[in-house]
Amino acid sequence: MSGRLQDKRALVTGATSNIGRAIAEMFAAEGAHVIVSGRSAGRGAEVVGAIRARGGRADFVQADLDGSAAASRALAEAATSALGGGIDILVNNAGVYPGDSTADTDEQTFDRVYSVNVKAPFLLTAAVAPAMAEAGGGAIINLGSWVARLGIPVGALYSSSKGAMETLTRAWAAEFGPRGVRVNAISPGVVHTPVPGEVHPGDVMMNGTPAGGVGSPEAIAHAAVYLAGDESAFVHGIVLDVDGGRTTAAVIAA
């Protein structure tokens, strides 16, 4: 790696698996000191251990981002302390995905999805962005999803929560950009690490795309490094599609 994030201090939520883990590991490989945050202390220790084994800097901060102001503030404070006094990069990645139909979604599920996927990152950003601005600037990266812009017949609740995050990205860019804090988002397609012999239920949705299949978590991490680094200094309020062409080209099913 080339040290594109050398000595930056980063907080990545939902960093104990899949996209979040890939972002945390790549940030560390690029020279950042990374706070790996998630609910599982065991998985968090595994990610931190893997980063440190490769010479990177990482610490784990356990957090259950349930949408309460207390949980978001506590994570911001703990991460700031562990990083030595400040956060330069925030990645709002943590989220939950229920795939039920609208009629099968109960009120408790509705509230939980919006609490975790929208309210928690909203309150975490509120706790982090002003301090970034006071320190001279920073970068915030939100995770959206291709299903926020293309309707599919299941998961309407999740889709709407990701649409909210993409809207917040533009609003926060206008709010915090003039104070030196760049806010952007990444919209992944179907992304996971294939397991031999297993078929992921989302795989079929990538058939007929220009990429021809699912993406890797590392593909999203590369985009996150770009949006976190100096190369994107003139980039504000975008949603960067990293979806194998799912939302930009007509999908011709075989």
Side-chain angles (χ1 to χ4, degrees):
M1 294 294 180
S2 58
R4 293 160 73 189
L5 303 179
Q6 192 64 42
D7 297 326
K8 297 293 186 181
R9 299 164 296 183
L11 166 59
V12 182
T13 70
T16 60
S17 65
N18 203 27
I19 289 173
R21 176 170 183 164
I23 291 173
E25 291 180 338
M26 199 168 292
F27 276 13
E30 291 287 355
H33 181 181
V34 182
I35 296 301
V36 173
S37 178
R39 289 178 294 177
S40 170
R43 290 193 302 178
E46 179 186 347
V47 177
V48 168
I51 289 173
R52 291 178 176 174
R54 292 190 288 268
R57 292 175 294 167
D59 294 285
F60 175 68
V61 174
Q62 190 169 22
D64 183 1
L65 293 174
D66 58 3
S68 67
S72 290
R73 281 198 302 265
L75 174 56
E77 291 170 1
T80 297
S81 177
L83 290 169
I87 298 171
D88 302 306
I89 304 163
L90 168 63
V91 180
N92 286 312
N93 169 71
V96 292
Y97 176 77
D100 293 337
S101 68
T102 299
D104 290 331
T105 300
D106 58 33
E107 185 176 6
Q108 182 179 11
T109 300
F110 184 100
D111 290 343
R112 179 168 181 262
V113 168
Y114 266 78
S115 291
V116 175
N117 292 8
V118 182
K119 189 177 178 183
F122 184 96
L123 294 171
L124 183 58
T125 298
V128 170
M132 281 183 175
E134 289 174 11
I140 296 174
I141 302 168
N142 300 318
L143 269 294
S145 173
W146 69 274
V147 296
R149 276 166 290 145
L150 281 181
I152 60 174
V154 293
L157 177 59
Y158 175 81
S159 300
S160 69
S161 73
K162 287 303 181 179
M165 287 308 298
E166 294 188 4
T167 297
L168 285 171
T169 296
R170 293 182 284 271
W172 285 338
E175 181 177 357
F176 297 116
R179 300 169 63 189
V181 179
R182 294 185 304 103
V183 186
N184 293 289
I186 300 170
S187 177
V190 178
V191 170
H192 66 91
T193 301
V195 177
E198 293 186 11
V199 178
H200 189 278
D203 288 359
V204 67
M205 295 184 181
M206 296 299 291
N207 291 345
T209 62
V214 302
S216 69
E218 289 73 23
I220 310 305
H222 282 297
V225 168
Y226 165 69
L227 290 176
D230 293 339
E231 296 95 333
S232 60
F234 200 52
V235 179
H236 291 260
I238 71 158
V239 178
L240 179 57
D241 294 321
V242 188
D243 63 4
R246 187 62 180 80
T247 58
T248 55
V251 174
I252 309 301

